[in-house]
Amino acid sequence: MVPAAGRGERLGPGAPKALRELGGVPLLVHAVRALARSRAVGLVVVAAPPEGVAEVTALLDSHGLDGKDVRVVAGGATRQESVRLGLAAIPQDVEIVLVHDAARPLVPVEVVDAVAAAVRAGAEAVVPAVPLADTVKRVEPQAAGAPEPVLDTPDRATLRAVQTPQGFRRRTLHEVHAKALAEESGGAAGGALPPVTDDAGLVERFGGQVFVVPGHEEAFKVTRPLDLVLAEAVLARRRASDGF
Ligand code: CTP
Ligand code: MG
């Protein structure tokens, strides 16, 4: 399942992020191809920008996707809603779902395979992640530009930067999304909880055990303009080494 309905505001003005090009091909096409390369993947459901469903369908039709079944649905106003809408389009008999950001076009197939294998081996939720290069500090956020008091510094050795695809038993993922929706619409004491920014976070919130497997530096997310520069460089390096 590929959430691709975001605007890409941090990337700056232009087309929705999933349709921005990398090496002449939209990020979304790279991301779907990266998943389709895995033998573990049989069906890819894409949550497109609501006004872009026809365009995205045509785009994916026109790019060869290794004979995998591809479906496009309209995404929602938040990533969480887009994933929920995408999940609804996945047949009940599918047991394992990988959720992969359209904004991570260069994830190596080894990462996709490793996540799928760990779920198959029995984990209900699996995320790929890498150690952090920077030291991280928790702060008391202030208005933009004002110095922020530091609260503490978590031990970097215990921290991981989490990527996608994140893998789940379909039933687990469906349940936590349904619970999150009920929590939101019921307004039930949800106000104080911090926002959940990934699917594994929902599993954690409702008491499930998430496992981390090794991610890859090339599975980084294209978020800001500099990330697109890096992605172009990684792609150029791959194309050069494929040439030999
Ligand atoms: N996403 C989505 N539906 C939304 C918001 C985000 O499907 N309403 C998807 C994005 O398309 C992206 C992934 O979630 O593939 C990760 O989100 P992010 O990197 O934050 O992308 P955007 O929300 O598009 O970027 P920004 O936050 O800078 O606007
Ligand atoms: Mg976003």
Side-chain angles (χ1 to χ4, degrees):
M1 196 276 122
V2 179
R7 301 248 12 116
E9 279 174 16
R10 287 168 291 178
L11 201 51
K17 182 159 72 178
L19 301 178
R20 298 278 286 262
E21 291 192 351
L22 166 61
V25 176
L27 293 179
L28 173 64
V29 172
H30 285 282
V32 172
R33 276 185 183 155
L35 290 175
R37 225 168 265 140
S38 170
R39 293 185 57 194
V41 173
L43 162 70
V44 180
V45 174
V46 173
E51 69 288 357
V53 172
E55 185 187 347
V56 165
T57 305
L59 181 71
L60 293 170
D61 280 349
S62 71
H63 286 84
L65 294 169
D66 293 350
K68 302 285 162 102
D69 189 3
V70 178
R71 297 180 201 173
V72 181
V73 301
T78 63
R79 185 184 182 283
Q80 193 173 310
E81 189 181 4
S82 294
V83 172
R84 191 171 68 238
L85 294 169
L87 275 179
I90 297 177
Q92 300 275 329
D93 63 347
V94 170
E95 286 181 10
I96 295 176
V97 175
L98 308 184
V99 181
H100 180 60
D101 293 329
R104 298 182 191 269
L106 297 174
V107 61
V109 69
E110 290 77 15
V111 175
V112 181
D113 288 338
V115 169
V119 180
R120 232 178 226 157
E124 65 174 345
V126 176
V127 302
V130 292
L132 297 184
D134 293 322
T135 294
V136 172
K137 297 202 185 289
R138 254 170 19 94
V139 301
E140 191 92 63
Q142 305 291 311
E148 301 176 313
V150 169
L151 297 172
D152 56 26
T153 305
D155 175 9
R156 193 172 67 194
T158 68
L159 298 176
R160 299 289 179 267
V162 171
Q163 306 174 324
T164 73
Q166 301 191 346
F168 305 89
R169 309 217 68 81
R170 187 190 59 79
R171 214 133 61 92
T172 299
L173 189 59
H174 179 80
E175 278 170 15
V176 295
H177 272 275
K179 281 183 188 167
L181 180 64
E183 219 176 49
E184 278 165 25
S185 43
L193 292 169
V196 170
T197 52
D198 69 347
D199 298 282
L202 286 182
V203 174
E204 292 158 48
R205 172 176 292 183
F206 296 111
Q209 177 65 60
V210 178
F211 288 92
V212 168
V213 298
H216 194 286
E217 59 179 356
E218 293 182 4
F220 66 91
K221 185 156 70 73
V222 173
T223 305
R224 298 178 191 87
L226 191 60
D227 300 321
L228 214 39
V229 176
L230 177 60
E232 291 284 2
V234 170
L235 191 64
R237 186 175 70 176
R238 279 191 194 172
R239 284 178 176 168
S241 64
D242 285 352
F244 290 105

